[in-house]
Amino acid sequence: MARIAGVNIPTGKRVPIALTYIHGIGPSIANQIVTALNIDPARRINQLSDEEVLAIREYIDGNLSVEGDLRREVQMNVKRMMDIGSYRGLRHRRGLPVRGQRTHTNARTRKGPAKAIAGKKK
């Protein structure tokens, strides 16, 4: 099992698909990595040599912000928004949707389970 950026990569999957298991690498960036290193996208992780896995690891370390660093950066951005009191920061602080979604109905993921209101039923 290959280990890249602190993540165990599934060995039976194609290289671009397996790279998306790393937080911060999506399909398009995974394809960029594969083309930059001249690796055939149809190959599987278990078919790669140690040098190719090392090249992928070095490319990611040198060019991308992934996993813990990326999570920390996003967390610091949210904290900064909350500290300066921006609208988005207030929405984060209150646990409401941040990107303009409606909250009259829906938004249960951010708001949590519905709370019953006493005396509402007639």
Side-chain angles (χ1 to χ4, degrees):
M1 182 166 279
R3 190 166 176 84
I4 301 173
V7 177
N8 291 331
I9 303 296
T11 55
K13 294 194 181 288
R14 290 181 21 244
V15 176
I17 303 301
L19 288 176
T20 61
Y21 279 69
I22 300 170
H23 179 77
I25 296 180
S28 63
I29 293 179
N31 286 325
Q32 275 180 7
I33 294 169
V34 168
T35 54
L37 299 176
N38 295 325
I39 297 173
D40 181 24
R43 289 175 65 194
R44 310 266 170 186
I45 290 289
N46 55 10
Q47 297 171 342
L48 295 178
S49 67
D50 291 338
E51 293 82 27
E52 290 171 320
V53 173
L54 184 65
I56 292 172
R57 192 176 296 131
E58 287 174 352
Y59 184 89
I60 290 172
D61 288 342
N63 300 324
L64 301 172
S65 175
V66 292
E67 281 302 319
D69 294 336
L70 181 62
R71 291 179 204 270
R72 197 173 310 107
E73 185 179 330
V74 169
Q75 196 174 22
M76 292 302 291
N77 289 342
V78 171
K79 185 179 182 321
R80 179 178 46 82
M81 283 188 282
M82 290 185 345
D83 289 343
I84 65 175
S86 69
Y87 179 78
R88 285 175 60 191
L90 294 175
R91 302 298 282 184
H92 275 291
R93 191 178 303 150
R94 292 180 184 162
L96 294 171
V98 176
R99 298 186 179 179
Q101 296 92 334
R102 67 180 289 130
T103 57
H104 180 72
T105 60
N106 304 335
R108 290 274 53 114
T109 302
R110 279 295 293 202
K111 292 169 78 172
K115 299 165 196 80
I117 299 171
K120 178 86 172 181
K121 202 186 260 189
K122 285 191 176 184

